[in-house]
Amino acid sequence: DAKTTQPNSMESNEEEPVHLPCNHSTISGTDYIHWYRQLPSQGPEYVIHGLTSNVNNRMASLAIAEDRKSSTLILHRATLRDAAVYYCILRDWQGAQKLVFGQGTRLTINP
Amino acid sequence: DTGVSQDPRHKITKRGQNVTFRCDPISEHNRLYWYRQTLGQGPEFLTYFQNEAQLEKSRLLSDRFSAERPKGSFSTLEIQRTEQGDSAMYLCASSLGSDRRDEQFFGPGTRLTVL
């Protein structure tokens, strides 16, 4: 399975934007980039996914580098409820359906 | 409630005992997954069902572990002769599998403690 690299932890202030980076230099052409997050004492939840173009939804934006070797999850105005572990996951739609989680980035939001 | 449910939420057992966990997926979802998560780590894949067929098993799933999904509805995960190393959160997820997002919806997990 393709690997992703994320910082272990990040910190931000409430109501400020947060940019969570992910490196995936070995990404293949059929890999989609998925982001999930895990709030304290809960199971992971889907945030967003993309292939080549930048994507927006009600939760976040996903900016994908032109060479696809990195991506950034953007939370436009962080709230205390966004404090979680964020996982960047590569998923080959043609292959296995499982999610392969790394260590993720623990995001702390300061009030 | 239309989410994924898991039972029990917590289980404490003694080493050597057998335990069984249950997962009820979202009703129309045909895909069901089991993951295991230890403290400070991301979830690790254990096994995956498409309807009642078990299509993939991780090498983490030793012969002490067995999972079933009779009739393609709920699923059970049994661990025989539990060991202290089995202590973890066991997460179940389900998905519809109808598009490339294939969003997986996770349950709250069953926390297993083996004494």
Side-chain angles (χ1 to χ4, degrees):
Chain A
D1 298 303
K3 299 268 192 271
T4 62
T5 305
Q6 300 177 253
N8 287 334
S9 62
M10 290 185 66
E11 200 169 326
S12 184
N13 297 319
E14 202 174 6
E15 299 189 1
E16 289 184 356
V18 180
H19 289 67
L20 296 163
C22 181
N23 287 321
H24 29 79
S25 59
T26 59
I27 191 169
S28 73
T30 53
D31 282 333
Y32 280 75
I33 302 159
H34 288 246
W35 284 81
Y36 278 71
R37 72 179 185 180
Q38 188 170 20
L39 303 172
S41 302
Q42 295 188 26
E45 63 176 358
Y46 169 85
V47 177
I48 200 166
H49 83 293
L51 183 63
T52 56
S53 306
N54 294 345
V55 183
N56 300 296
N57 66 20
R58 63 175 180 79
M59 288 181 71
S61 295
L62 177 60
I64 301 173
E66 196 168 336
D67 63 5
R68 301 210 322 127
K69 294 186 176 181
S70 65
S71 61
T72 302
L73 179 71
I74 302 165
L75 307 179
H76 294 285
R77 284 187 70 203
T79 70
L80 295 177
R81 288 175 293 181
D82 291 320
V85 179
Y86 286 79
Y87 297 98
C88 170
I89 299 167
L90 298 185
R91 200 172 181 201
D92 182 353
W93 181 246
Q94 295 182 333
Q97 306 310 315
K98 64 190 177 189
L99 294 172
V100 179
F101 293 84
Q103 299 264 39
T105 296
R106 180 172 298 279
L107 177 64
T108 301
I109 304 296
N110 300 314
Chain B
D1 182 27
T2 57
V4 177
S5 61
Q6 293 187 245
D7 183 68
R9 295 291 305 276
H10 303 273
K11 178 71 177 178
I12 300 174
T13 191
K14 293 182 180 177
R15 189 166 48 119
Q17 298 294 304
N18 299 343
V19 294
T20 300
F21 310 141
R22 177 180 170 122
C23 170
D24 285 274
I26 294 171
S27 59
E28 65 269 23
H29 285 186
N30 52 39
R31 293 179 175 175
L32 188 145
Y33 310 79
W34 285 97
Y35 295 84
R36 180 175 73 184
Q37 185 172 27
T38 54
L39 204 60
Q41 304 296 315
E44 297 172 292
F45 169 77
L46 292 178
T47 191
Y48 152 60
F49 290 85
Q50 174 93 20
N51 299 312
E52 65 274 11
Q54 189 173 18
L55 296 186
E56 186 176 356
K57 291 195 291 186
S58 163
R59 282 172 289 183
L60 292 174
L61 214 66
S62 75
D63 56 8
R64 296 186 298 107
F65 287 70
S66 62
E68 295 183 341
R69 193 183 181 196
K71 302 179 184 177
S73 56
F74 71 92
S75 175
T76 57
L77 178 68
E78 181 184 15
I79 309 174
Q80 296 182 327
R81 306 181 302 281
T82 52
E83 301 172 356
Q84 288 185 325
D86 296 331
S87 295
M89 177 73 83
Y90 290 83
L91 293 162
C92 175
S94 69
S95 71
L96 197 53
S98 63
D99 60 21
R100 297 196 174 193
R101 184 173 79 178
D102 194 31
E103 178 180 350
Q104 292 189 16
F105 293 82
F106 283 79
T110 294
R111 181 167 296 284
L112 173 66
T113 302
V114 181
L115 302 177

